[in-house]
């Protein structure tokens, strides 16, 4: 993705205005970061190759603690792996004014750690990511960068992140707006009623425990796939108690789950997301972990790392030993690119065919 920087006059001098870049941050992450250090890695064509965020910590003296410096070193290595030639850093923190010396110390440490990725090209501080927030340019590198061919504006006020070109593009592409904070993502996955049969609900009767491929796995996969197809067609299947339990039983089969992973790259992506989200909220235990893992993988593949992380957290809270959620969460924490995991989707198409379900070919590509 490329972000266009505008210019403006400061007195009689034309300067680059980083506001479009700063306002794009919530859309790039899918939520509004708070008290965070944010890195945007760019390649030689000024294309965004990776975005990274970490909680911003301070010592009592207003310095980055040793633990955060270690994180900086890891981020520098990741930036290099992503082919970054320039890194833009943004500190979002309401504990200091944007012109506070703490940010100068912060970016100096960050610049040292990011030398494998070319160092920090420019760095900015802002109290929060809301319309009208005051931002300030804290750091500039002497190295050339096509995004900032001229000097950078000293300070300014943030335009509305909800209306940034990147936010609008993301809304069109994924049909979702920007969430206010990470907690709102968790709220989306909060447990709800098990089924629509409130008065006759018999939660979880007859749910299996998974194992090797069984003769019933073909029927289990067909059941889940039919549910996704119905959602694609705009006629969602009523979630009666028995139906929910049958879907839960289907998801306990790791083979059924694995065969469903590839749906995130097909024309059924949005319907699958709705079904995985619905089942995550309705189910408990291992079936909830399976649904949340499918949801997390879908968001991982489309580049929504924050939502993927929350989904994996929900999966592991439901079943701490759930292997695939642990593996994917570790991959995400270690900065593995989505495209490096799309092999799982390829395997799922083959597995689905073995189970007698013909999933349509991929029409989307994994992000990154």
């Amino acid at each position: 993705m490329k972000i266009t920087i505008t210019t403006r006059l400061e007195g009689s001098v034309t300067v680059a205005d980083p506001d479009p870049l700063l306002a794009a941050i919530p859309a790039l992450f899918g939520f509004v970061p708070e008290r965070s250090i944010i890195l945007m890695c760019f390649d030689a064509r000024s294309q965004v190759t990776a975005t990274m965020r970490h909680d911003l910590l301070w010592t009592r003296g207003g310095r980055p603690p040793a633990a955060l410096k270690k994180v900086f070193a890891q981020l520098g290595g990741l930036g290099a792996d992503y082919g970054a030639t320039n890194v833009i850093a943004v500190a979002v923190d309401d504990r200091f004014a944007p012109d506070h010396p703490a940010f100068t110390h912060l970016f100096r440490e960050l610049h040292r750690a990011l030398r494998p990725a070319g160092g920090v090209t420019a760095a900015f501080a802002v109290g929060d990511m809301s319309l009208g927030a005051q931002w300030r340019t804290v750091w500039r590198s002497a190295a050339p960068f096509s995004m900032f061919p001229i000097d950078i504006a000293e300070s300014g006020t943030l335009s509305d992140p909800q209306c940034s070109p990147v936010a609008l593009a993301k809304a069109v592409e994924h049909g979702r707006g920007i969430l206010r904070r990470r907690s709102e993502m968790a709220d989306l996955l909060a447990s709800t009623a098990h089924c629509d049969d409130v008065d006759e609900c018999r939660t979880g009767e007859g749910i299996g425990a998974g194992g090797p491929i069984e003769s019933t796995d073909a029927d289990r996969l067909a059941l889940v796939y039919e549910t996704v197809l119905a959602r694609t067609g705009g006629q969602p299947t009523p979630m009666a108690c028995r139906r929910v339990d049958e879907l839960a039983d289907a998801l306990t089969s790791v083979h059924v789950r694995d065969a469903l992973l590839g749906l995130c790259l097909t024309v059924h992506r949005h319907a699958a997301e709705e079904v995985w989200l619905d089942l995550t909220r309705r189910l408990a235990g291992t079936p909830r972990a399976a649904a949340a893992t499918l949801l997390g993988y879908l968001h991982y593949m489309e580049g929504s790392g924050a939502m993927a992380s929350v989904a994996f957290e929900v999966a592991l809270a439901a079943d701490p030993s759930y292997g695939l959620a642990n593996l994917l969460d570790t991959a995400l924490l270690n900065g593995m690119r989505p495209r490096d995991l799309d092999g799982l989707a390829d395997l799922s198409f083959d597995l689905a065919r073995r189970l007698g379900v013909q999933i349509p070919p991929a029409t989307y590509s994994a992000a990154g």
Side-chain angles (χ1 to χ4, degrees):
M1 176 177 292
K2 187 159 185 157
I3 301 171
T4 303
I5 297 298
T6 59
T7 60
R8 73 184 200 211
L9 283 174
E10 283 192 353
S12 59
V13 179
T14 300
V15 294
D17 187 357
D19 177 73
L21 181 67
L22 301 176
I25 288 172
L28 289 172
F29 286 90
F31 70 106
V32 179
E34 299 173 300
R35 297 186 174 182
S36 301
I37 183 70
I38 292 161
L39 304 183
M40 290 175 281
C41 299
F42 294 83
D43 62 16
R45 298 174 301 162
S46 297
Q47 297 274 358
V48 179
T49 61
T51 56
M52 294 175 268
R53 188 211 69 87
H54 197 276
D55 291 343
L56 185 47
L57 308 173
W58 302 100
T59 66
R60 291 182 179 179
R63 299 290 189 272
L68 189 58
K69 292 178 184 178
K70 290 182 180 179
V71 170
F72 288 171
Q74 294 171 349
L75 296 179
L78 287 175
D81 290 343
Y82 275 91
T85 58
N86 292 277
V87 179
I88 304 299
V90 181
V92 183
D93 202 311
D94 58 356
R95 289 169 289 189
F96 299 110
D99 60 354
H100 195 281
F103 292 116
T104 302
H105 292 290
L106 174 76
F107 292 129
R108 184 180 296 119
E109 293 288 349
L110 185 60
H111 179 68
R112 291 172 183 162
L114 264 61
R115 282 174 181 162
V120 176
T121 303
F124 308 91
V126 62
D128 63 85
M129 302 302 297
S130 63
L131 174 63
Q134 294 288 323
W135 57 261
R136 186 173 182 84
T137 302
V138 181
W139 178 278
R140 302 178 185 83
S141 170
F145 183 32
S146 60
M147 183 169 282
F148 297 122
I150 55 178
D151 202 7
I152 307 171
E154 290 284 346
S155 61
T157 57
L158 193 67
S159 59
D160 191 352
Q162 300 286 340
C163 299
S164 73
V166 177
L168 296 176
K170 291 277 188 179
V172 170
E173 181 181 358
H174 302 301
R176 288 189 296 272
I178 301 169
L179 295 170
R180 289 301 305 168
R181 54 182 61 87
R182 192 177 166 89
S183 61
E184 290 186 9
M185 297 183 186
D187 290 343
L188 286 177
L189 303 183
S191 296
T192 187
H194 167 264
C195 62
D196 297 336
D197 300 334
V198 179
D199 297 329
E200 301 178 7
C201 179
R202 298 180 180 180
T203 304
E205 288 191 357
I207 294 178
I213 290 180
E214 302 175 359
S215 59
T216 56
D217 280 347
D219 291 335
R220 287 162 146 178
L221 177 60
L223 175 72
V224 183
Y225 188 50
E226 288 168 5
T227 303
V228 173
L229 287 178
R231 195 69 65 104
T232 300
Q235 297 180 325
T237 305
M239 287 297 192
C241 190
R242 180 176 178 181
R243 180 78 176 197
V244 173
D245 282 346
E246 288 174 342
L247 290 168
D249 178 65
L251 292 182
T252 60
S253 166
V254 295
H255 311 294
V256 171
R257 178 208 65 198
D258 290 351
L260 294 166
L261 288 169
L263 286 175
C264 68
L265 299 180
T266 72
V267 293
H268 302 306
R269 171 198 280 184
H270 299 300
E273 179 186 358
E274 291 178 5
V275 173
W276 306 155
L277 177 60
D278 192 19
L279 290 176
T280 297
R281 300 189 70 196
R282 292 180 183 275
L283 302 179
T286 299
R288 175 173 164 87
T293 300
L294 286 168
L295 182 66
Y297 180 74
L298 183 150
H299 283 285
Y300 199 157
M301 289 301 97
E302 74 174 22
S304 300
M307 189 66 193
S309 175
V310 171
F312 296 144
E313 285 178 9
V314 168
L316 293 172
D319 183 348
S321 64
Y322 201 70
L324 184 58
N326 272 301
L327 287 172
L328 292 174
D329 191 42
T330 299
L332 183 62
L333 288 172
N334 288 331
M336 185 173 288
R337 302 176 186 180
R339 69 185 182 198
D340 293 335
L341 290 170
D342 62 2
L344 291 175
D346 293 335
L347 291 173
S348 80
F349 295 132
D350 293 334
L351 181 54
R353 282 192 291 271
R354 287 170 53 196
L355 293 174
V357 173
Q358 191 71 31
I359 291 176
T363 56
Y364 296 95
S365 298

